[in-house]
Amino acid sequence: MIGGRTKLVAVHQVSNVLGSESPVELIRERAHAVGAKVLLDACQSVPHMPVDVQQLGVDFAAVSSHKMCGPTGIGFLYGRSDVLASMPPWMGGGEMIQDVFLDHSTYSDPPARFEAGTPAIAEAIGLGAAVDYLTAKGMDNVHNYEMHLSEYLYKQLSAVDRVRIYGPPPPSLLPGGPSALHRGRVAALCTFSVDGMHATDVSSFLDQQHGVGIRSGHHCAQPIHQGIGINASDGRVHTSTTPRRRSMRSLLDSRTPLTFSSTSRDQC
């Protein structure tokens, strides 16, 4: 898919559905070989694992604040300094200009060049606090803790009748161990469906009967669901820095109703 006409390659680092990690460095090498830039969607990786954008060698990386304990309505875009310096501004406004004349203007150096007008000040302060919080926790510690929860959940759900898990297993359960192209499930999430039950019914049942909150729906990824041939609204359990092992047990304690319930919505 990457060829001589390719100008920009956008790729996620971690899938928000399957929990798998893309071979970012390999994709970057192929993109740069044809002169294309690489935009990394790091929304699902930065909040949960150490990420070194310089080591990955991408040109841009986008991160969302609310996925990393910060406020909604803000995020940040990383860009290589040389790439940003070569780009014109996309919006005019205060603080992004250097000198203004009647017939032309000169612009500030990045990043101010791309930050026209009054920024989302309160949100930026909140995002900074979230970054400080996660940094103090240590992203290695965060990732190791979440993977511990993920491995426990994956093992237990795998033993439940009629429950199907999608995506690769955690690295510790991968036959032959991780490889450069297949590192296993690196995100602390577990996407599953229950045979004979709609995902919305499963999530409502777990919420109302067991106090367990999960996401259900397309997860902004309908083509993935279509590609693997499943209903587009299958449930997902996503662990984070806050759930503990007892939260996983609350979910797993509900497995008997999930296994033996009627397929009728009225009885779910």
Side-chain angles (χ1 to χ4, degrees):
M1 297 178 64
I2 300 177
R5 299 178 59 188
T6 305
K7 300 301 180 183
L8 179 68
V9 175
V11 59
H12 62 249
Q13 185 171 13
V14 173
S15 169
N16 72 316
V17 177
L18 302 179
S20 54
E21 183 175 6
S22 301
V24 176
E25 291 171 295
L26 176 60
I27 295 172
R28 179 256 300 162
E29 289 177 1
R30 294 185 177 179
H32 285 178
V34 297
K37 299 294 188 292
V38 178
L39 168 61
L40 181 68
D41 177 354
C43 292
Q44 307 297 333
S45 54
V46 164
H48 304 286
M49 58 192 289
V51 176
D52 188 334
V53 291
Q54 293 183 335
Q55 179 180 345
L56 293 173
V58 295
D59 303 288
F60 306 98
V63 181
S64 178
S65 168
H66 76 274
K67 294 183 182 294
M68 54 185 298
C69 307
T72 59
I74 193 172
F76 64 86
L77 175 70
Y78 159 84
R80 274 180 35 213
S81 57
D82 59 322
V83 176
L84 293 176
S86 68
M87 297 172 58
W90 69 281
M91 177 182 288
E95 300 298 328
M96 51 74 63
I97 53 90
Q98 189 173 58
D99 294 301
V100 177
F101 303 92
L102 291 178
D103 57 349
H104 71 283
S105 298
T106 58
Y107 305 112
S108 300
D109 293 332
R113 180 184 302 176
F114 305 102
E115 298 177 350
T118 303
I121 299 172
E123 290 83 354
I125 294 172
L127 173 56
V131 171
D132 290 341
Y133 170 77
L134 291 174
T135 301
K137 290 289 184 181
M139 294 312 300
D140 284 313
N141 295 329
V142 170
H143 186 60
N144 291 336
Y145 175 66
E146 291 187 0
M147 289 307 299
H148 171 72
L149 292 177
S150 181
E151 290 173 6
Y152 173 75
L153 179 61
Y154 186 93
K155 288 180 182 178
Q156 298 299 319
L157 280 179
S158 297
V160 180
D161 292 338
R162 290 174 53 195
V163 170
R164 298 185 182 186
I165 301 177
Y166 303 97
S172 63
L173 305 179
L174 198 64
S179 65
L181 293 179
H182 190 31
R183 292 188 55 194
R185 183 184 302 269
V186 299
L189 62 84
C190 200
T191 302
F192 69 95
S193 64
V194 180
D195 290 347
M197 295 184 67
H198 193 279
T200 302
D201 294 331
V202 174
S203 63
S204 298
F205 171 79
L206 291 174
D207 175 31
Q208 297 171 12
Q209 299 297 321
H210 296 274
V212 177
I214 69 171
R215 285 195 61 186
S216 65
H218 300 130
H219 315 305
C220 302
Q222 287 181 317
I224 290 181
H225 293 79
Q226 296 163 1
I228 58 181
I230 62 174
N231 187 295
S233 298
D234 287 276
R236 182 179 72 171
V237 178
H238 193 159
T239 67
S240 69
T241 56
T242 51
R244 300 182 183 276
R245 195 180 181 95
R246 64 174 176 266
S247 299
M248 301 295 100
R249 175 52 61 186
S250 296
L251 168 66
L252 296 167
D253 284 345
S254 65
R255 62 179 180 237
T256 299
L258 285 179
T259 302
F260 299 106
S261 62
S262 167
T263 57
S264 169
R265 283 196 176 194
D266 293 336
Q267 299 180 28
C268 290

